[in-house]
Amino acid sequence: MIHTYSSTIRRKEMEAVLTCMVDEKIGPGEMNTRLVQTAKELIGFDGAVALRSPAIALEYIFRALDLPKETGVILSALAPSYQIQTVEKFGYKPLVADVCEETGLVTVDSVEKCIKNGGRLLVLAETMGILPDIKAFLELGIPLIEDISQSALSSYSAEEQPENEQGAEQKPLSRRKAGMYGLYAILGMEDRDIITAGGGALLIAPGRKEWTVLKHIAEESPSTDILPDMNAALALVELKEFSRNEKTRRELFSLFSRAVMSGRHKTFVRASEDESTVYSFPLVLNSGFKDVKSYAQKKNIEVRQAFENSIIALRQEELASQCICANSLLLRCALFPLYPRLGQKDTALILKVLSSLP
């Protein structure tokens, strides 16, 4: 069976983790520090903390912002479900925004509606690695947090970048990275994220002011919140190998896109192939998900719902009527295998299935 998800773990990743085990350096330490430093060099932020989960990262953000109780926090209906659970845990009011069916990203209109209903902070999920019109969201006048778990190391062209930034110091306009526009950014490193530590997250502070606050919180945090070196070692290699893996993902995405071009099913619209990260291969179906899943399974290919772990999946009964597009994508968007470890034989089989889907 060709599985939908597969972490790209090669010998380098295995050796890095094994070295930590042999040296008995498995708790937070040197590798954690090296991971943060490497990410800083690649992304360009002022500071970051490597934590054990994206949920802990969001908790730290709320502690840093110290928002009043009942503050409205705007979330994408297709964002990971932990986000709404964490918002509620802190006593804030979650406001779930609908998405654009062509991109899977929250729309400016839906966020504006949430602002009218009391939304004061936006957690902007960059779904499937696709970059939003960041300037349009910054112009809404509320602070934002970027979730770059699927869009890590993607970058904006100079003409798309806003002149003024929220919370981040002014940087050169050339190819700014995703995660550098909000007050903070979360780079999840769970098993299904674009960069994996086997579990964990980088909490990024783009600017010095936000980093000063976050650093103080991190210095007082328990060691049980901090990413262990075994996990950091895996993520460090993944970061260093990102360009190589992304090149392969782009090649596969191009092949798969051509395979479905003449069919009834469409993948998401991506503004620029040179900027957005290739997370996987989502296909918005023009027929029933069960039929496509069954057809692929007969060919030994696992297909899963692209948003099975999203907020809309967790609260479908409550949100379906107000998040119509997100609910439609939950039911109709299938995720096909796309990762660097796919061999020629498996790639050829996936191409054959994609070009002949019912």
Side-chain angles (χ1 to χ4, degrees):
M1 177 69 72
I2 306 173
H3 294 291
T4 310
Y5 297 97
S6 176
S7 301
T8 302
I9 298 176
R10 301 188 180 94
R11 184 174 296 276
K12 287 182 180 179
E13 287 89 339
M14 295 178 190
E15 288 178 348
V17 175
L18 182 59
T19 298
C20 286
M21 296 174 67
V22 171
D23 293 342
E24 296 187 352
K25 295 179 179 178
I26 57 176
E30 179 187 353
M31 296 306 296
N32 183 297
T33 303
R34 288 177 60 187
L35 171 62
V36 171
Q37 183 58 38
T38 300
K40 183 176 182 179
E41 292 168 0
L42 291 171
I43 299 174
F45 51 76
D46 205 88
V49 184
L51 300 166
R52 289 184 182 241
S53 75
I56 293 175
L58 188 54
E59 289 182 12
Y60 274 45
I61 289 173
F62 289 152
R63 288 170 59 188
L65 297 179
D66 194 23
L67 304 169
K69 293 292 184 183
E70 297 296 322
T71 294
V73 180
I74 305 169
L75 307 169
S76 166
L78 297 182
S81 59
Y82 81 82
Q83 291 187 4
I84 194 169
Q85 293 168 324
T86 305
V87 168
E88 292 171 339
K89 177 181 177 180
F90 273 74
Y92 301 140
K93 179 184 177 182
L95 298 167
V96 182
D98 203 3
V99 301
C100 170
E101 198 162 354
E102 285 73 37
T103 64
L105 301 174
V106 290
T107 65
V108 174
D109 287 346
S110 65
V111 173
E112 285 181 327
K113 289 179 183 178
C114 290
I115 292 173
K116 290 178 182 177
N117 290 326
R120 296 296 176 264
L121 175 70
L122 169 63
V123 181
L124 185 61
E126 295 168 1
T127 307
M128 295 293 158
I130 301 171
L131 293 179
D133 179 357
I134 195 70
K135 184 176 181 180
F137 288 104
L138 290 173
E139 289 175 346
L140 293 175
I142 63 169
L144 65 86
I145 309 300
E146 283 187 83
D147 179 357
I148 62 170
S149 303
Q150 296 181 359
S151 64
L153 297 179
S154 57
S155 57
Y156 292 89
S157 60
E159 58 269 20
E160 291 177 314
Q161 298 175 34
E163 295 179 2
N164 298 312
E165 306 156 15
Q166 293 180 1
E169 295 175 350
Q170 188 68 33
K171 305 281 185 179
L173 283 179
S174 178
R175 306 295 288 177
R176 292 276 320 279
K177 297 292 186 183
M180 294 297 292
Y181 291 100
L183 296 178
Y184 295 100
I186 298 172
L187 198 174
M189 299 185 295
E190 296 295 307
D191 60 328
R192 293 183 180 182
D193 289 324
I194 196 74
I195 294 169
T196 183
L202 275 179
L203 171 50
I204 294 168
R208 188 172 302 168
K209 179 182 176 182
E210 285 66 39
W211 171 233
T212 300
V213 177
L214 177 59
K215 185 179 180 181
H216 178 70
I217 294 173
E219 287 172 346
E220 297 181 348
S221 62
S223 61
T224 49
D225 283 359
I226 308 301
L227 188 71
D229 268 13
M230 276 206 313
N231 301 82
L234 173 56
L236 179 59
V237 178
E238 291 255 320
L239 265 179
K240 291 179 177 179
E241 294 290 304
F242 183 86
S243 293
R244 172 189 175 188
N245 290 331
E246 180 67 2
K247 182 176 182 292
T248 303
R249 285 191 293 264
R250 288 183 184 279
E251 291 170 353
L252 291 172
F253 189 90
S254 179
L255 289 172
F256 292 179
S257 296
R258 288 198 294 270
V260 300
M261 199 169 290
S262 60
R264 298 185 297 156
H265 316 297
K266 306 296 179 184
T267 190
F268 286 126
V269 174
R270 301 167 68 86
S272 173
E273 292 301 322
D274 295 331
E275 293 158 8
S276 296
T277 296
V278 174
Y279 172 72
S280 189
F281 194 73
L283 199 61
V284 182
L285 305 176
N286 197 30
S287 60
F289 173 79
K290 289 183 178 180
D291 293 339
V292 170
K293 179 181 178 180
S294 177
Y295 179 77
Q297 195 164 2
K298 290 176 182 178
K299 307 295 184 180
N300 217 32
I301 297 172
E302 180 189 40
V303 173
R304 302 179 71 100
Q305 287 181 298
F307 302 108
E308 60 187 0
N309 295 319
S310 64
I311 291 173
I312 188 71
L314 180 68
R315 305 280 175 85
Q316 186 179 17
E317 185 174 342
E318 173 188 342
L319 296 172
S321 61
Q322 69 186 64
C323 298
I324 296 172
C325 290
N327 189 59
S328 175
L329 289 175
L330 170 65
L331 300 174
R332 296 169 47 234
C333 189
L335 205 62
F336 282 78
L338 188 158
Y339 38 82
R341 291 181 64 239
L342 285 175
Q344 289 185 352
K345 182 179 178 182
D346 288 346
T347 299
L349 181 57
I350 295 170
L351 284 169
K352 184 177 180 180
V353 169
L354 285 172
S355 62
S356 59
L357 286 173

